[in-house]
Amino acid sequence: MPFINSWATPDRRVLLSLAEPVIATLDSHIQVRPSDCEAGGILLGTVHGSNIAVVEATVPTTWDKRLRFFFERMPSGHSSIARARWNASRSTVRYVGEWHTHPQDYPWPSTLDRIEWNKLSRTRADGRPMLAVIVGRKGLYVELVPHAGTGPVMTPME
Ligand SMILES: [Zn+2]
């Protein structure tokens, strides 16, 4: 079962679409085997009012630290891709958030994830909340992370 493309906050104020290549990238990094390591990258997309369209998910670089229950992104490779897309798209495709995998069917953020997400949210150049995606074996966890605390969790629209 492929992941769903369209998501919304409970109040339907923020709609999110994940383009087909994004779904394919997330899908190909699911931690299927017991030996599979966590993976992750950044999410690039366009914003339309409060809505977000994710057009690209970067894949782990050789600098990232990958373990079974741990993933640490080394910013250099990912941010240079973000810069290149921003320039090539005439400043429309931007950094919108991050994704990583968990070896859980229906994933849930760890305490460390939350600390890291709030930190990343505060550093976003456009001041918007950060889109955080965790890829589980059977579903995605999608949250709009504010500068502090917990944000709205998005649910699939079918
Ligand atoms: Zn995590």
Side-chain angles (χ1 to χ4, degrees), residues 12-108:
R12 294 284 195 264
R13 279 194 163 164
V14 182
L15 304 180
L16 164 72
S17 72
L18 304 173
E20 222 38 79
V22 175
I23 296 285
T25 299
L26 302 184
D27 203 75
S28 68
H29 287 88
I30 295 174
Q31 290 179 271
V32 183
R33 290 177 304 255
S35 57
D36 289 342
C37 291
E38 288 197 7
I42 62 173
L43 299 169
L44 301 168
T46 54
V47 297
H48 312 271
S50 56
N51 301 331
I52 307 162
V54 181
V55 297
E56 183 177 351
T58 67
V59 296
T61 68
T62 47
W63 298 288
D64 295 330
K65 292 199 186 92
R66 299 183 61 186
L67 299 170
R68 171 111 181 111
F69 295 102
F70 182 79
F71 179 77
E72 188 181 354
R73 207 175 346 271
M74 294 293 127
S76 51
H78 299 280
S79 58
S80 66
I81 295 173
R83 247 192 327 275
R85 297 299 182 272
W86 172 259
N87 293 332
S89 70
R90 295 174 188 274
S91 314
T92 58
V93 174
R94 66 178 79 180
Y95 171 96
V96 293
E98 313 258 332
W99 70 275
H100 71 280
T101 62
H102 272 190
Q104 298 169 318
D105 285 348
Y106 297 97
W108 199 253

Side-chain angles (χ1 to χ4, degrees), residues 72-73 95 98 111-125 128-130 132 145-149:
E72 188 181 354
R73 207 175 346 271
Y95 171 96
E98 313 258 332
T111 311
L112 198 64
D113 284 335
R114 198 151 284 297
I115 292 168
E116 193 58 32
W117 287 348
N118 285 142
K119 206 188 296 171
L120 288 164
S121 184
R122 284 194 292 272
T123 59
R124 254 196 88 161
R128 286 169 171 261
M130 188 210 62
V145 181
H147 294 184

